[in-house]
Amino acid sequence: MIETLAGPGAGGVDDLTARDLLALARDRKAAEDGAAADLLVVAARWADLHPPESIHDAAGFAVPGCEHEEPIAGEGAPLVAEFCLAELGTVLGVSTVAAKKLVGHALELRHRLPRLWAQVHAGRVPAWRARSVAESTIHASPALTPEAAAFVDAQVAAVAGRIGAAQLDRLVAEAIKRFDLAEPDPAADPEDGYLHVDPRHVTIHDDDVHFAGTVHIEAEVDIADALDLDRALTHGAALRKALGSLLPLGARRAKALGDLARTQTALDLAGVGADPQHLPAAREVVLHAHFDASFSGEATVFGPTGRLAEGQRLVLLDQVKDWCADSRTKVTIKPVIDLNDQLSTPAYDVPDRIREQVVLRDTTCVFPWCSRPARGCDIDHVIPHDPNAEADGRPQPGPTQSDNLAVLCRFHHRLKTHTAWRYEMTSPGVFEWTSPHGHHYRRDRRGTSPIEPPGPPGIPRPRRP
């Protein structure tokens, strides 16, 4: 029993021999793979229970923002009623986006990659490997037809799923070419054996912010552009060194890249013929950083590290000073908002000051396990605002005030408005959600935790160890 593995000296894992440990590891891995395969079946069956017809039966007319059908796998896989994904995600302890990906992979495997689906359930291919193939065939560009997906399925199944990412990319490209799915390129050599797909892109991974306040940039550009950029960064790094910078070469090149962006923006603002030495501010720094502070006489002393709302990462005080020291950076200091104040307005629309307070308090969408940053979300009235209350002489049930407002991303705002999902604010920034099937969750600044239902009256609930 797995319970016996918790502690040493009581028949636990410390008493097992090397042979026994290897056998246990093998059994646990097999159990894990089996559970992952079973979860794909559950996800596909959940989609079966929520087809688009379930929406049409429930709504006789179209309402803005109401539920619609969601294509989450490739051509030939069934559509799904989009709101069902939220409840599956919450019981699994993952975001709605992660649940959508799970169901999409399950449908892609069952309907478009049936050989791989069968191998997963025969134990020959682990679920994670099959899901990586499904991810590629779902998001191939151009989209794979059912016949092209079947070709990929046959090739991958022939090697029992043992295919690397680069091989999989080439296989998908071969399927696109074999089934003539790509738009013809008039400049391409018809004898060329490679599929023409324009690979150029610049991607800024701002969803993964390092604790030092940096982000990863990935790009593929024309050779000429790359050489020009390299020369510009080399010149900028050398110029900074000549001006006394002690930063290493890589950091100076990174700073030079930022200088290029800000200088070009400032030139655009100033117009043709502007003097590059006297340019207007090209950047406004809007940062929401929280630092511990103390007082030394009349001076305020800030701690060396704080927390940056953007990216939910630690930030160094010296780095914030460095960002604000740039000569072409506009710095705006906003007044401090007390998150414990009760702010209100008689109107329905949320004023900027109240919005800012709610955003700073909640930091993200407050739906269970959602992590979408608050600044890109809606402000929701927890208890709906009644526009007719004043005209009817009734008190307003959903006032626009701090303790009745919460941050919800657009999807979960629609979910709360058009489904049986309900929530309440039990204290500032603390929310309790109830799903259509009666599951309960607590959401606060620390994250999400399920709330277990109370036991039957008169029967004490067992304590957890």
Side-chain angles (χ1 to χ4, degrees), residues 79-318:
L79 303 178
V80 180
E82 62 165 342
F83 286 160
C84 77
L85 303 170
E87 188 152 18
L88 179 63
T90 55
V91 298
L92 293 177
V94 300
S95 68
T96 303
V97 173
K100 176 179 176 180
K101 182 173 290 190
L102 170 67
V103 176
H105 292 167
L107 294 179
E108 181 78 358
L109 287 164
R110 190 178 69 177
H111 292 272
R112 296 186 4 125
L113 306 172
R115 293 180 178 87
L116 198 53
W117 172 264
Q119 288 184 336
V120 168
H121 297 291
R124 291 194 292 272
V125 176
W128 67 267
R129 194 183 294 275
R131 290 186 62 181
S132 70
V133 178
E135 179 73 7
S136 296
T137 56
I138 290 173
H139 297 292
S141 180
L144 297 185
T145 61
E147 294 77 17
F151 168 77
V152 174
D153 184 32
Q155 303 304 311
V156 175
V159 293
R162 294 182 178 88
I163 184 169
Q167 293 174 301
L168 183 57
D169 288 343
R170 288 195 292 270
L171 181 58
V172 170
E174 173 64 24
I176 292 172
K177 183 177 180 180
R178 179 181 290 258
F179 292 90
D180 198 23
L181 303 179
E183 291 293 331
D185 176 24
D189 182 353
E191 300 300 323
D192 189 356
Y194 293 96
L195 177 73
H196 176 75
V197 177
D198 193 338
R200 291 175 297 179
H201 72 100
V202 177
T203 304
I204 300 175
H205 298 280
D206 55 358
D207 57 340
D208 186 14
V209 183
H210 192 267
F211 73 89
T214 60
V215 297
H216 178 68
I217 298 177
E218 178 186 1
E220 187 155 348
V221 300
D222 292 329
I223 293 177
D225 291 341
L227 295 175
D228 288 341
L229 180 60
D230 181 60
R231 280 191 291 267
L233 297 184
T234 299
H235 173 74
L239 181 60
R240 282 182 169 271
K241 184 176 182 179
L243 294 174
S245 174
L246 299 178
L247 293 173
L249 176 60
R252 283 186 279 116
R253 285 174 64 87
K255 297 286 283 186
L257 182 60
D259 288 340
L260 283 176
R262 288 187 293 277
T263 301
Q264 184 58 52
T265 303
L267 285 170
D268 292 342
L269 292 173
V272 179
D275 180 1
Q277 301 300 320
H278 299 88
L279 295 175
R283 171 176 67 171
E284 179 179 1
V285 175
V286 181
L287 297 176
H288 302 86
H290 303 271
F291 288 89
D292 291 332
S294 59
F295 295 95
S296 178
E298 295 183 356
T300 303
V301 180
F302 292 97
T305 61
R307 181 163 292 277
L308 193 65
E310 289 75 12
Q312 296 296 306
R313 293 294 189 272
L314 294 176
V315 65
L316 303 178
L317 181 62
D318 287 342

Side-chain angles (χ1 to χ4, degrees), residues 422-440:
R422 292 293 177 263
Y423 74 130
E424 61 178 332
M425 189 187 309
T426 58
S427 60
V430 179
F431 305 89
E432 291 189 2
W433 285 85
T434 302
S435 79
H437 286 82
H439 296 276
H440 302 274

Side-chain angles (χ1 to χ4, degrees), residues 335-413:
V336 174
I337 297 177
D338 188 344
L339 302 186
N340 295 316
D341 275 355
Q342 175 72 294
L343 306 180
S344 64
T345 178
Y348 169 76
D349 293 332
V350 182
D352 290 344
R353 183 169 175 79
I354 300 181
R355 167 180 283 274
E356 185 71 7
Q357 183 198 45
V358 175
V359 164
L360 292 175
R361 182 196 68 199
D362 294 344
T363 70
T364 68
C365 169
V366 301
F367 188 82
W369 283 286
C370 185
S371 59
R372 190 173 296 274
R375 295 198 177 278
C377 296
D378 300 336
I379 303 297
D380 176 53
H381 288 72
V382 179
I383 300 174
H385 185 91
D386 185 354
N388 301 316
E390 183 177 359
D392 295 343
R394 295 180 285 105
Q396 176 57 251
T400 305
Q401 61 188 37
S402 303
D403 62 359
N404 191 47
L405 298 173
V407 171
L408 289 179
C409 69
R410 181 57 54 87
F411 176 85
H412 292 127
H413 194 172

